[in-house]
Amino acid sequence: MRAARLIKMVLLLQARTGMTAGELAAELEVSERTVMRDAQALSEAGVPVYADRGRAGGYRLVGGYRTRLTGLGRSEAEALFLSGVPGALREMGLEDAASAARLKVSAALLPSLRDTSRTVAQRFHLDAPNWFAEPKTPELLPVVADAVWDDRRVVAHYRRGESEVRRELEPYGLVLKAGVWYLCARVADTDSYRVYRIDRFTSVEAGEERFERDEEFDLPGFWEQRAEQFARSILHAEVVVRLSAVGVRRLPYAVDPATARQAVAGAGTPDARGWVTVTLPVESEEVAHGQLTALGPEAEVLAPQRLRARFAADAARLAGLYARPGDAG
């Protein structure tokens, strides 16, 4: 435990010009007294850790000291190679760079760990696109990816309905969702962050001007928030449904899982047969018809009446089909 903490402390100081005892304590999740003891232990072990006294003081490594990757354990090396997603890197035009980086890391590892990249590749593979979807890499993705890496402003034209819109953007990050690439960007000279589907760009031109990135921007957090907002924004209608216990279990597979969980959480007490009544936000009655049909006899639509009548008509047609003998020939 302590050995891992000492290695992490060296790597933190190597990555930064210096850190205060408080900063190190927060990163290592220990007390400042423990930081002081660890720094002393590193110094005694030959690692040149230097402590500056005073208000502006802190800890730093002396003389450009660099540790080597030979301290990596097998699980750490496997996690490192696992972090690369080959398909996504290839689509962004980074496959050659990633391959070179993996070779350099492999060369720095202990001989006993040099098979790590091969063993990881045989144990994990990410297939991002949905089933029955034809994956297509946006032609402009490499240009956008380069701008993201270099923090360069871009002038982009994209399709919005029947029209084409021009925007000057500061590209912050890329997201690959179910086989579709999105750009999270700030509209230049504003505080407005937006999400764009890259396959809707008709042109992207990266200029020489670099923008100053907001270091507080959290790409995963931003995407999660926008994804939730989008999911809520398309739910314009409500249906009231009675569900059996089986229907409750199947509901998250028929509709948005988060919406299903919230609806079930707000349901009343089950009746004598174990059925519960839920109010379910849906995109439209048409969409709800397709989704709830998947639940079959485990769901009964109570409202709106028009949708209930549609399910009743479906049930009558099914009863008619199955009332007559099937043609096995």
Side-chain angles (χ1 to χ4, degrees), residues 6-321:
L6 292 174
I7 292 173
K8 184 176 180 180
M9 183 175 180
V10 173
L11 294 174
L12 284 169
L13 293 175
Q14 182 175 299
R16 309 181 192 182
T17 57
M19 297 180 69
T20 66
E23 290 171 339
L24 283 168
E27 290 279 359
L28 300 172
E29 298 181 350
V30 296
S31 67
E32 293 188 20
R33 184 177 293 275
T34 298
V35 169
M36 183 177 65
R37 288 198 297 265
D38 286 352
Q40 181 66 30
L42 287 171
S43 180
E44 292 174 356
V47 178
V49 177
Y50 177 74
D52 280 332
R53 306 296 180 184
R55 176 176 295 180
Y59 293 91
R60 56 182 46 84
L61 294 174
V62 178
Y65 176 84
R66 308 287 294 180
T67 188
R68 295 172 181 256
L69 285 173
T70 49
L72 283 174
R74 173 165 291 276
S75 62
E76 295 167 324
E78 288 173 345
L80 177 63
F81 284 108
L82 185 63
S83 65
V85 182
L89 292 171
R90 181 173 57 252
E91 292 180 6
M92 288 188 291
L94 297 174
E95 184 177 26
D96 291 342
S99 177
R102 285 193 292 269
L103 286 173
K104 290 178 181 179
V105 172
S106 295
L109 292 172
L110 292 172
S112 61
L113 300 180
R114 287 177 185 165
D115 67 337
T116 298
S117 60
R118 180 180 60 81
T119 58
V120 168
Q122 296 304 319
R123 287 165 173 79
F124 179 83
H125 175 70
L126 177 64
D127 186 8
N130 279 332
W131 287 103
F132 314 116
E134 186 70 27
K136 184 178 180 181
T137 303
E139 183 180 343
L140 295 172
L141 176 60
V143 178
V144 177
D146 284 344
V148 170
W149 293 122
D150 291 341
D151 293 338
R152 293 186 184 276
R153 285 190 176 188
V154 300
V155 175
H157 292 82
Y158 70 98
R159 296 186 303 274
R160 190 169 68 182
E162 299 298 322
S163 61
E164 186 173 281
V165 180
R166 179 188 182 278
R167 287 285 184 271
E168 186 174 347
L169 303 173
E170 297 174 354
Y172 266 66
L174 295 168
V175 175
L176 177 60
K177 170 72 171 178
V180 179
W181 284 95
Y182 296 88
L183 172 67
C184 300
R186 181 168 62 188
V187 179
D189 302 320
T190 73
D191 293 324
S192 175
Y193 291 87
R194 299 181 184 178
V195 176
Y196 302 87
R197 275 187 61 145
I198 294 179
D199 59 7
R200 292 181 181 167
F201 286 137
T202 58
S203 69
V204 176
E205 295 180 9
E208 295 298 320
E209 182 183 0
R210 284 187 167 87
F211 64 89
E212 186 175 346
R213 177 177 287 267
D214 180 1
E215 297 301 331
E216 299 297 318
F217 180 80
D218 173 26
L219 179 60
F222 171 79
W223 176 260
E224 181 179 5
Q225 181 185 49
R226 287 304 172 93
E228 290 178 356
Q229 289 175 354
F230 173 76
R232 289 195 300 267
S233 69
I234 64 174
L235 303 179
H236 301 298
E238 286 185 343
V239 297
V240 181
V241 189
R242 290 181 68 242
L243 298 169
S244 68
V246 174
V248 169
R249 291 196 299 270
R250 292 181 181 174
L251 186 63
Y253 300 98
V255 302
D256 174 63
T259 302
R261 288 193 295 269
Q262 292 175 1
V264 171
T269 305
D271 62 18
R273 297 173 54 204
W275 289 56
V276 296
T277 300
V278 302
T279 299
L280 185 68
V282 294
E283 185 174 345
S284 67
E285 290 184 20
E286 183 66 30
V287 171
H289 178 260
Q291 293 173 327
L292 297 177
T293 294
L295 300 181
E298 307 303 330
E300 178 191 2
V301 173
L302 302 180
Q305 187 59 39
R306 182 171 53 186
L307 184 59
R308 178 178 173 85
R310 187 169 178 180
F311 273 98
D314 290 346
R317 289 178 61 198
L318 282 171
L321 287 174

